[in-house]
Amino acid sequence: MSSYARVIHYATSVLCSNKGAMVLLQLHRKVFQRFDITEEEFWYIVKKCPRFVVVRNREGTDDWGSDCTVVAKTSLRLCKNYTKQHCADCQELHLCKYFVYGNCRFGKGRKQCKFSHDIGSEHNHPLLRECTLHELTEDDLFLLLLQNDPSLLPEVCSHYNKGTGPYGACTFQENCTKVHICMHYIQGDCMFGHKCKRQHIIDQHGRRMLEDRGLSGEIIHDLPFIYQNIHHLTTPTPYSPRESVPDLLSKPVSQTDEREEICLHFIRRSCRFQDKCIRIHFNLPYKWEVFEGDSWRDLRHMEDIERAFCDPRKSESPGTRSVDFLTMMRETNPVRRLSTVSSVTKPPHYILTTEWLWYYKGDHENWVEYGQPDDKQRTTSVTSRDLEEAYTANPSAEVKVVKGHRQYYLSFQDMYQRNPKHNTKRKVRRRPRFVSITEVEKQIAR
């Protein structure tokens, strides 16, 4: 997926500029105007990238592209402890909530707000870069946060949607701190349309309540659309393409395209298919390439790049024209890493398969491999091999991890380890074990 970083960024920007979601066919046309990618690649991106959720608009139609919507998604949140001024180091954004709302009164006057209005700050920029959101405009980023961070907007009042009268069954009436809007309109299944007795827009009561919370008039105007997107993200109706959509959609991500997999037999100089082999013939179990012009070209100093990539502390390769491992870009050019098949998919006697190691970020900016003791000699209940086996079986899964008396959940899609009790997160990285050119030669000779 990293090879499509520019496409994913552009598609995210387009979605955010269109109130956070678009009909699939419309997004398809926009992306094709900018990027020379095949239809198969486009389907693969929107179905497999955790940045997007594809949901069905209505049942009983086979009009491909117009019967489903793509919604922009992110796991990034605003830090709840930042405004309480007792957050030292976390994986959430440190921003003024009212700045996100577009209505911070300190940001407009002479008195400076004591909370950050800088999305590119020393704390925020690495987080945005980690999630490949660092190139979004402020407006696009804020809309993405509004429809994904549940702490930013009030809920839709369920009591308003019951009973009769102008306030439904809501006993708080004008003093309600939740939004009075038709739930069926939000869910996309209101059969009454403009004749519905429930509100399909934010009324004067709702506007006053939301303005008191600090939301700008522009955001309040777009809230019905944002609430629709929130509904799609929290209770999605998965879209299942009809049979004519390319088969690539239904192929698990863990099954690497054989045309992008390095041939194990060629490395051992024993490939009987020779030029007809569908796998890549290369003399190392890894291959770094950059897309320049109209084709992929080998990168120089490949061993140095691989050595840096295998170190979970590194986010870029050495040298003046470095490779960004988080976005998989070198300056403005996409980069990809080809490799041999994962070691967990082959018997132990297969040599030069790729051994993937899994790490979580420790308390002191260090990276700890799963199954290995941390600085307090505590180990996790799962090892790198356990996680790799689970990942190759289902790259969208969430795995339970226990360390000491604490329980965590590791999301493969978000690459974060979450503590459900305290709602804190740690970054997770999957990096290969480094194999030098000398070691490759020795293994072949043996």
Side-chain angles (χ1 to χ4, degrees):
M1 196 60 69
S2 57
S3 302
Y4 304 119
R6 305 306 301 171
V7 180
I8 293 169
H9 164 72
Y10 178 71
T12 304
S13 180
V14 169
L15 289 173
C16 292
S17 300
N18 287 271
K19 299 182 175 64
M22 286 180 74
V23 172
L24 178 60
L25 189 58
Q26 295 174 342
L27 180 63
H28 173 267
R29 289 170 178 164
K30 283 279 190 181
V31 171
F32 269 48
Q33 290 173 6
R34 178 69 68 89
F35 294 95
D36 183 21
I37 61 172
T38 65
E39 289 185 357
E40 288 85 354
E41 289 173 311
F42 177 76
W43 313 145
Y44 180 79
I45 290 168
V46 297
K47 286 291 289 182
K48 297 301 183 183
C49 179
R51 178 67 51 75
F52 311 114
V53 172
V54 185
V55 293
R56 181 177 290 279
N57 293 335
R58 55 188 182 275
E59 297 296 334
T61 178
D62 197 33
D63 181 14
W64 176 85
S66 62
D67 68 339
C68 58
T69 293
V70 183
V71 187
K73 181 181 178 183
T74 181
S75 62
L76 204 57
R77 303 287 185 264
L78 289 193
C79 175
K80 296 183 181 66
N81 295 321
Y82 170 58
T83 54
K84 300 173 186 176
Q85 297 182 323
H86 59 75
C87 178
D89 180 31
C90 73
Q91 304 304 314
E92 312 288 9
L93 292 173
H94 285 183
L95 284 172
C96 169
K97 179 172 68 174
Y98 300 101
F99 175 52
V100 176
Y101 288 160
N103 208 22
C104 180
R105 57 194 178 98
F106 294 109
K108 299 175 182 178
R110 293 182 180 179
K111 187 177 179 180
Q112 189 175 5
C113 182
K114 61 182 179 180
F115 302 115
S116 176
H117 285 205
D118 183 9
I119 65 173
S121 69
E122 186 177 346
H123 175 85
N124 293 329
H125 185 264
L127 297 175
L128 293 171
R129 187 165 169 266
E130 183 84 19
C131 298
T132 62
L133 298 173
H134 58 295
E135 295 183 10
L136 286 182
T137 65
E138 285 183 356
D139 289 342
D140 288 351
L141 175 64
F142 295 165
L143 186 138
L144 190 61
L145 290 171
L146 284 168
Q147 70 185 33
N148 282 274
D149 190 335
S151 69
L152 292 177
L153 295 176
E155 297 176 8
V156 173
C157 180
S158 59
H159 298 289
Y160 167 75
N161 283 272
K162 301 173 183 177
T164 59
Y167 300 104
C170 179
T171 57
F172 294 103
Q173 299 188 4
E174 287 188 352
N175 296 320
C176 185
T177 56
K178 297 183 180 180
V179 175
H180 284 190
I181 194 169
C182 174
M183 185 65 77
H184 289 287
Y185 174 72
I186 296 300
Q187 295 171 354
D189 59 2
C190 181
M191 64 179 70
F192 299 107
H194 66 278
K195 295 182 180 179
C196 181
K197 63 181 180 180
R198 309 291 183 202
Q199 293 289 337
H200 285 195
I201 59 173
I202 305 298
D203 61 8
Q204 287 301 316
H205 148 70
R207 179 172 290 273
R208 286 194 300 270
M209 182 270 293
L210 291 165
E211 286 175 347
D212 288 343
R213 286 182 65 111
L215 272 76
S216 67
E218 186 176 349
I219 289 177
I220 293 172
H221 178 269
D222 290 340
L223 273 186
F225 303 103
I226 295 175
Y227 278 116
Q228 287 178 344
N229 296 341
I230 292 172
H231 170 73
H232 286 320
L233 291 167
T234 53
T235 54
T237 305
Y239 174 69
S240 299
R242 58 194 176 108
E243 291 180 0
S244 60
V245 174
D247 291 338
L248 186 58
L249 273 177
S250 59
K251 183 180 71 173
V253 177
S254 59
Q255 295 180 9
T256 307
D257 191 329
E258 290 182 337
R259 292 169 298 180
E260 296 183 0
E261 182 185 299
I262 295 175
C263 177
L264 284 171
H265 300 286
F266 178 81
I267 299 178
R268 299 199 301 267
R269 302 176 179 88
S270 61
C271 180
R272 58 191 177 89
F273 295 105
Q274 299 299 321
D275 294 340
K276 295 180 180 179
C277 183
I278 61 174
R279 295 177 177 84
I280 300 294
H281 280 188
F282 195 61
N283 62 325
L284 293 174
Y286 49 84
K287 190 173 192 279
W288 287 87
E289 297 179 337
V290 60
F291 192 80
E292 292 181 342
D294 57 354
S295 62
W296 291 96
R297 306 177 190 278
D298 289 359
L299 280 167
R300 298 177 61 190
H301 310 296
M302 208 171 290
E303 186 179 32
D304 294 336
I305 298 173
E306 178 72 8
R307 182 183 287 105
F309 182 68
C310 293
D311 186 343
R313 297 169 298 177
K314 302 287 180 64
S315 58
E316 61 182 30
S317 67
T320 53
R321 302 184 68 193
S322 62
V323 173
D324 188 323
F325 297 141
L326 303 181
T327 62
M328 290 301 278
M329 300 288 293
R330 189 182 73 171
E331 297 173 346
T332 58
N333 299 110
V335 170
R336 68 179 181 181
R337 177 187 182 274
L338 308 179
S339 71
T340 53
V341 70
S342 175
S343 60
V344 301
T345 66
K346 296 291 183 182
H349 66 271
Y350 273 72
I351 67 167
L352 297 176
T353 54
T354 299
E355 182 184 0
W356 290 95
L357 304 178
W358 289 76
Y359 303 87
Y360 62 90
K361 195 169 187 180
D363 296 327
H364 308 290
E365 297 299 311
N366 59 323
W367 290 86
V368 183
E369 184 187 343
Y370 282 89
Q372 299 299 314
D374 62 9
D375 54 351
K376 296 180 181 179
Q377 298 304 305
R378 298 170 301 182
T379 57
T380 55
S381 59
V382 295
T383 64
S384 284
R385 185 173 181 86
D386 296 330
L387 292 175
E388 183 65 14
E389 288 176 345
Y391 179 76
T392 54
N394 183 5
S396 301
E398 194 172 76
V399 177
K400 180 180 175 181
V401 179
V402 177
K403 186 174 74 170
H405 300 293
R406 295 184 179 179
Q407 180 175 294
Y408 307 90
Y409 288 94
L410 192 164
S411 169
F412 290 146
Q413 281 198 326
D414 297 333
M415 294 301 279
Y416 274 103
Q417 175 182 287
R418 180 174 56 87
N419 182 326
K421 183 177 180 180
H422 301 288
N423 199 30
T424 55
K425 296 193 299 185
R426 293 178 184 270
K427 295 177 186 176
V428 173
R429 284 184 178 168
R430 173 183 181 252
R431 296 288 176 89
R433 184 184 296 281
F434 177 64
V435 180
S436 67
I437 295 175
T438 303
E439 187 176 345
V440 170
E441 293 171 347
K442 287 181 179 178
Q443 289 199 42
I444 294 172
R446 285 200 299 267

